[in-house]
Amino acid sequence: MLRAPPDSLFPLRHIHKPNSLLRTRTTRFCCKASLITNSDSFEVGRLIGSYGFMNITSSSGSPLGEDTEYSSGDLGRLRVQDVGEGSVKIRLYDGRVSQGPLKGTPVVFKVYPGQRAGGNEADMMAANELNAHLFLQNSSNGICQNLATLVGGFETKTGEQWLAFRNHGKSSAADYAKVMSEKVSRNRAAGVWNKFEQEETIKRRRYFVTKLLQGIMRGLAYMHDHDRLHQSLGPASVILNTITERDAAYLVPRLRDLAFSVDIGYSNLEGDPGLLSEGLWRRASTAGAFTPMEKRAFGISDDIYEAGLLLAYLAFVPFCEAGIMDGLSLQRLLESTFQLDLGATREYCLADDRLLDAVKFLDLGDGAGWELLQAMLNPDFRKRPIAQAVLNHRFMTVGIL
């Protein structure tokens, strides 16, 4: 391991943001949360990987009668013509705390580029993610186990923002789905067709996915109860401590990637929305949400819609062969082909033997999965359930019984 970059001398609370509100909040919360802001307290290991964000550059009329534009995020709606890669590239590194009370604690560094490489957007995203975690971790209810835990961070002389999160695992829900779909492909290619083993595998998969969905919705419910939207919810934004299905009893999913998180406290809804949430409130206006109460309800329902797409992804991809279904194809199927008619979607999938295991999973509890999906993806945002209602739905337990 190497020590943190030698030019990393400036704690994150000193970063310069175009929005003075961010500076004020960052300074106050850093002191309150007692985060580690000295770069000498960290050691940096190997590069884990990197990723970017989608940029929506134009949009077409949606099948739901809206003409909508979407900001960067894991999964922009597919009612768009041009989807490009955003300018902000994130790097991830292994690391650990090298001194102090948390010495030896493994961490994952999330590195935002400086303004020279990523522009103001990267700076704002880093500050927004920092502020969101600090606010949520300072709740009187304690830290939610279904959210990633921020340990500290610092800024380098080149302007890079390094956020350090406790390392609870490196695999995401997307990684899990990919591994399982590849396993399905290998088994079918090898002609592995022991009926008993197949049934046991499907039971374990249903149990694992159900536990995964429960953790996701607990994390989202906690955020909404504390006036925060996620706004970038997708399979890559859920980190898992295990992807071994036999260890499902110990699975703890955690939400990460809060760079686009939005404060929906009523005082904030009456002020300047900020650049990162402009797209959300533009969509709210198009949907007829103008008052603070209506905008808050729209924002929560928008997260629920993304959670519905994630539920669909986890109900299909791990149960199908690799390449049969992916997130974007599934979203097109739901939104464009069947215009969010889940009954018609089911009939279509039922006719394809490759999708049968996914259909049977959603059929559990007398079609409880399809019922829940239809509610979460309801075209009318006012009719979508809140996160706690999703958690209480019978589909969220039927895979465990």
Side-chain angles (χ1 to χ4, degrees), residues 101-315:
L102 295 180
K103 182 177 180 180
T105 300
V107 298
V108 172
F109 291 105
K110 183 174 185 179
V111 184
Y112 284 91
Q115 282 197 21
R116 216 176 307 170
N120 283 340
E121 186 181 17
D123 240 14
M124 288 188 291
M125 288 166 62
N128 196 47
E129 181 155 20
L130 172 71
N131 290 328
H133 277 285
L134 289 170
F135 179 85
L136 292 166
Q137 288 176 204
N138 277 287
S139 166
S140 58
N141 296 330
I143 296 176
C144 175
Q145 73 163 354
N146 296 115
L147 296 178
T149 304
L150 182 69
V151 174
F154 49 86
E155 180 182 9
T156 71
K157 285 184 177 178
T158 58
E160 288 187 336
Q161 317 292 342
W162 288 60
L163 299 183
F165 295 91
R166 191 180 289 269
N167 187 349
H168 291 294
K170 299 185 182 72
S171 297
S172 68
D175 297 323
Y176 161 74
K178 180 176 183 290
V179 169
M180 293 307 118
S181 64
E182 289 172 349
K183 187 176 290 187
V184 172
S185 295
R186 286 196 302 272
N187 288 344
R188 291 187 179 173
V192 177
W193 201 253
N194 181 300
K195 187 176 180 181
F196 175 76
E197 288 183 6
Q198 182 73 5
E199 288 177 352
E200 289 302 303
T201 297
I202 291 297
K203 284 181 183 177
R204 283 196 298 270
R205 191 148 303 158
R206 288 174 176 175
Y207 180 71
F208 190 96
V209 170
T210 302
K211 289 270 292 183
L212 175 49
L213 291 170
Q214 288 176 344
I216 290 169
M217 295 313 302
R218 286 194 189 101
L220 195 61
Y222 184 92
M223 290 187 67
H224 291 175
D225 287 345
H226 292 79
D227 295 334
R228 285 296 185 278
L229 303 179
H230 191 286
Q231 284 297 290
S232 190
L233 193 59
S237 61
V238 183
I239 200 71
L240 310 178
N241 62 329
T242 180
I243 60 171
T244 302
E245 291 179 333
R246 292 182 184 274
D247 293 337
Y250 310 104
L251 173 66
V252 182
R254 291 177 172 86
L255 303 186
R256 64 176 181 180
D257 296 334
L258 303 189
F260 295 97
S261 179
V262 177
D263 182 347
I264 52 170
Y266 284 111
S267 59
N268 191 66
L269 291 173
E270 294 173 346
D272 180 7
L275 291 175
L276 295 178
S277 59
E278 277 183 345
L280 170 66
W281 303 130
R282 190 184 306 121
R283 298 198 303 275
S285 297
T286 301
F290 300 104
T291 68
M293 186 173 293
E294 290 169 340
K295 289 167 69 176
R296 176 186 168 84
F298 180 87
I300 289 172
S301 74
D302 200 56
D303 265 3
I304 295 297
Y305 188 96
E306 285 191 339
L309 293 176
L310 181 53
L311 188 159
Y313 175 93
L314 291 170

Side-chain angles (χ1 to χ4, degrees), residues 21-37:
L21 181 62
L22 295 181
R23 289 201 301 273
T24 303
R25 286 183 175 174
T26 305
T27 302
R28 183 175 73 246
F29 289 145
C30 271
C31 296
K32 187 176 178 182
S34 300
L35 295 183
I36 303 171
T37 57

